[in-house]
């Protein structure tokens, strides 16, 4: 028997190359996903319960078009909640892809100045270079890294910052305003 510690294996969201640096990252926010799933189940079961409580006499007075409209609203609300809950971030092949709800944005690594998650921020922000702004960058929300994850969010931020730096992201050409320097 030896006293060697086992080599840590990458989690399901990281794939490493031979140098030990992750060549790709993939993050979702488990608390946001669980909240979306639970609230969707509550909304759906509540809608079904109130439809049942109406009773057969009232339900018979509701037209097919009215039922279809209510079902459509229910589907839209469920899709919005689950879309936000399934927000995702992928970092690989020289780009970062962020899915926030139904919106997917692709950011080439040379456009990225950094990543920020300050105390009090609800989620992380990707700093994307934009020469039309005073600071030279715009903040883009990353819902896949939520501050309510605590230390888990900080680990994600540190790993993504290392990945960004290792893949060539830089903030050296920005003009940050006082107290607002990207990290």
């Amino acid at each position: 028997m030896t006293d060697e510690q086992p080599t840590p294996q990458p989690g399901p969201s990281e794939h490493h190359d031979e140098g030990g640096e992750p060549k790709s990252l993939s993050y979702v926010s488990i608390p946001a996903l669980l909240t979306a799933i639970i609230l969707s189940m509550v909304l759906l079961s509540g809608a079904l319960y109130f439809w049942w409580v109406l009773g057969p006499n009232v339900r018979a007075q509701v037209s097919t078009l009215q039922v279809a409209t209510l079902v459509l609203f229910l589907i839209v609300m469920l899709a919005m909640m689950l879309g936000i809950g399934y927000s995702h971030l992928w970092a690989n092949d020289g780009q970062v892809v962020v899915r926030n709800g139904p919106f997917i944005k692709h950011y080439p690594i040379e456009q990225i100045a950094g990543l920020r998650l300050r105390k009090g921020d609800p989620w992380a922000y990707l700093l994307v270079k934009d020469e039309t702004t005073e600071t030279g960058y715009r903040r883009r929300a990353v819902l896949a890294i939520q501050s309510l994850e605590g230390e888990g969010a900080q680990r994600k931020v540190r790993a993504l910052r290392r990945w960004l730096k290792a893949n060539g992201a830089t903030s050296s050409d920005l003009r940050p305003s006082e107290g607002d320097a990207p990290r």
Side-chain angles (χ1 to χ4, degrees):
M1 209 149 154
T2 66
D3 291 331
E4 289 183 46
Q5 295 293 327
T7 305
Q9 297 299 313
S13 63
E14 295 183 10
H15 304 285
H16 293 261
D17 61 14
E18 291 121 20
E21 282 297 315
K23 60 182 180 177
S24 67
L25 299 172
S26 175
Y27 296 131
V28 295
S29 174
I30 299 301
L33 178 58
L34 290 176
T35 300
I37 290 171
I38 291 169
L39 289 178
S40 294
M41 291 188 320
V42 167
L43 177 64
L44 184 58
S45 58
L48 292 174
Y49 173 75
F50 283 113
W51 179 253
W52 178 75
V53 167
L54 288 175
N57 294 338
V58 175
R59 285 195 305 261
Q61 296 174 10
V62 180
S63 74
T64 305
L65 182 60
Q66 291 169 327
V67 170
T69 302
L70 292 173
V71 168
L72 177 67
F73 283 132
L74 183 65
I75 290 170
V76 167
M77 288 187 289
L78 291 171
M80 286 173 41
M81 278 192 291
L82 291 172
I84 291 172
Y86 281 106
S87 293
H88 201 126
L89 176 134
W90 298 271
N92 61 7
D93 298 329
Q95 72 175 349
V96 175
V97 180
V98 178
R99 183 180 68 206
N100 290 332
F103 304 104
I104 298 176
K105 295 285 188 178
H106 299 260
Y107 300 104
I109 199 76
E110 55 273 356
Q111 277 189 327
I112 299 173
L115 181 72
R116 176 182 294 158
L117 179 60
R118 293 186 196 171
K119 189 173 191 162
D121 284 346
W123 43 73
Y125 291 94
L126 200 58
L127 305 178
V128 179
K129 295 175 185 175
D130 183 353
E131 293 184 16
T132 64
T133 64
E134 182 180 319
T135 59
Y137 65 89
R138 291 193 183 275
R139 294 182 330 157
R140 298 293 180 225
V142 178
L143 300 181
I145 304 175
Q146 300 273 331
S147 63
L148 59 93
E149 296 176 62
E151 183 55 34
Q154 295 302 321
R155 279 192 302 273
K156 289 178 183 179
V157 167
R158 286 189 299 270
L160 185 53
R161 283 180 181 159
R162 282 192 307 272
W163 186 90
L164 289 169
K165 187 175 181 180
N167 286 277
T170 180
S171 62
S172 61
D173 54 342
L174 299 183
R175 310 169 296 281
S177 60
E178 187 175 318
D180 199 30
R183 297 187 272 161

